[in-house]
Amino acid sequence: MLKRIVVALGGNAILSKDPSAKAQKEALEVTAEQLMPLIKDNDRQMVVTHGNGPQVGNLLLQQLGSDSEKNPAMPLDTVGAMTQGEIGFWTVQAFTRAMANNGLERYPVISAVTQTLVDENDPAFKNASKPIGPFYTEEQLPEIKKQFPDWELMEDAGRGYRRVVPSPKPLEIIEAKAFGPILESGSLLIASGGGGIPVIKDGKGYQGVEAVIDKDFSAAKLAEMVGADELLILTSGGDVYLNYGKENQVHLETVKVSEMRKYVDEERFAKGSMGPKVEAAVSFVERTGKTATITSLDNVENFVKSGSGTRIVP
């Protein structure tokens, strides 16, 4: 029986220094090839999810630059849907080509624009914390604040300043119940990009809200809802360390979920970078009793061969 793995791609898998569509598509083609060792032996089925923060930020800037009564800028939930479709299209093309290159062309690749249910009373709506868009230096802040007075900006893990928006926790991936037949058909599924479009219940339907859902928390919820055997979070930061960047840093390899939960509760990981990834991985293991791994995209082959990476186990 095929093992089902959900792979959460970090922004570095898509965005290079060149933000053009051509460059981002080329980056995804490299990424797709790097992920082929996961499925080339026909022993795993893969579901892929990805970030969209930089793309959302860039699209908002484009829209705000031409905002007018006849051409109004779209709200954040709609911009999220636009980038989810955009990146999904590029990702389908990249994986279709990579699978053909590896003799796996018999498997279709499908991208789904997905909504993620959140609680309208989530305290995150009163405390914007999720970074989106490009980084700004301290010297650029006065001009950015003058240009976009409604934006909240926050320092992001020592890398500069970014716009922050509410980031409620995902309760449910709305379309996940329909994914069963798609996955049983052998398809490679791309879903919940950028954490999914945040929605709240509205009578018998749903209404989009101005927020961004952390893609790793959404990936953990997606993995839970599709019955994944493993969650793999790929990040430019690679494996997880205690005291990262210090002389006494400790590489975490195989760690029991109870121990990792303790580190999370003690806030041992950077809030703007590794912290959410570890917390998402821990939540998946706690809720499912399965395994989650955090490592780098470049380490995928070693992960397949030896389980290399930071593995969080029940």
Side-chain angles (χ1 to χ4, degrees):
M1 186 174 177
L2 289 176
K3 287 185 67 177
R4 185 171 292 171
I5 186 168
V6 169
V7 180
L9 296 175
N12 63 309
I14 306 167
L15 192 65
S16 63
K17 292 181 180 179
D18 179 354
S20 69
K22 181 176 182 292
Q24 292 184 76
K25 287 192 283 187
E26 289 174 351
L28 275 166
E29 287 185 3
V30 173
T31 293
E33 282 289 349
Q34 286 180 285
L35 291 179
M36 286 301 102
L38 288 168
I39 57 174
K40 68 180 181 181
D41 291 335
N42 292 301
D43 59 348
R44 282 192 184 92
Q45 180 182 49
M46 184 161 60
V47 179
V48 177
T49 185
H50 58 79
N52 69 345
Q55 291 80 13
V56 165
N58 289 342
L59 183 52
L60 284 171
L61 285 173
Q62 291 171 7
Q63 292 205 348
L64 290 169
S66 60
D67 186 27
S68 68
E69 188 175 337
K70 291 185 177 180
N71 185 31
M74 294 293 106
L76 185 56
D77 58 325
T78 301
V79 171
M82 293 162 73
T83 57
Q84 193 180 153
E86 167 189 72
I87 298 169
F89 165 57
W90 295 339
T91 307
V92 164
Q93 290 195 319
F95 275 95
T96 298
R97 187 170 288 109
M99 292 173 79
N101 290 341
N102 288 271
L104 297 168
E105 64 269 23
R106 64 187 178 278
Y107 298 113
V109 185
I110 296 172
S111 175
V113 174
T114 49
Q115 304 170 91
T116 303
L117 181 66
V118 300
D119 182 352
E120 62 181 314
N121 296 314
D122 191 306
F125 285 111
K126 296 181 180 179
N127 180 30
S129 62
K130 179 63 178 176
I132 63 170
F135 290 90
Y136 303 104
T137 64
E138 192 167 358
E139 291 73 22
Q140 291 175 300
L141 288 183
E143 180 60 31
I144 295 299
K145 289 179 179 178
K146 181 180 177 182
Q147 190 174 2
F148 306 110
D150 294 335
W151 282 16
E152 291 189 52
L153 294 123
M154 184 181 294
E155 196 273 334
D156 185 0
R159 297 175 292 179
Y161 291 81
R162 297 174 79 185
R163 183 188 177 189
V164 291
V165 297
S167 184
K169 291 290 178 65
L171 301 177
E172 178 185 339
I173 310 300
I174 301 295
E175 291 77 13
K177 294 173 184 176
F179 292 160
I182 293 173
L183 293 171
E184 287 165 13
S185 74
S187 299
L188 189 156
L189 176 64
I190 298 139
S192 203
I197 305 157
V199 297
I200 58 174
K201 288 184 177 178
D202 181 18
K204 294 181 179 180
Y206 302 97
Q207 174 185 328
V209 290
E210 290 271 310
V212 169
I213 299 169
D214 184 278
K215 68 172 177 53
D216 296 307
F217 283 113
S218 183
K221 179 58 65 175
L222 178 66
E224 177 189 342
M225 293 190 71
V226 300
D229 298 290
E230 185 156 14
L231 171 64
L232 176 61
I233 297 177
L234 299 176
T235 170
S236 58
D239 295 5
V240 183
Y241 293 80
L242 290 177
N243 310 316
Y244 180 72
K246 300 177 181 179
E247 289 185 4
N248 62 337
Q249 76 173 17
V250 178
H251 180 208
L252 298 177
E253 296 181 64
T254 300
V255 186
K256 288 183 179 179
V257 69
S258 56
E259 181 180 351
M260 197 63 102
R261 169 56 70 187
K262 178 173 176 288
Y263 296 145
V264 168
D265 292 343
E266 292 172 351
E267 299 184 352
R268 301 288 294 274
F269 310 108
K271 289 184 179 180
S273 53
M274 191 59 79
K277 301 178 193 311
V278 175
E279 188 174 350
V282 165
S283 71
F284 171 74
V285 179
E286 288 176 336
R287 293 175 71 90
T288 66
K290 305 294 178 61
T291 299
T293 299
I294 302 172
T295 190
S296 68
L297 182 60
D298 293 336
N299 193 49
V300 165
E301 197 161 352
N302 290 328
F303 165 78
V304 172
K305 290 178 180 177
S306 63
S308 173
T310 298
R311 294 176 64 82
I312 304 170
V313 299

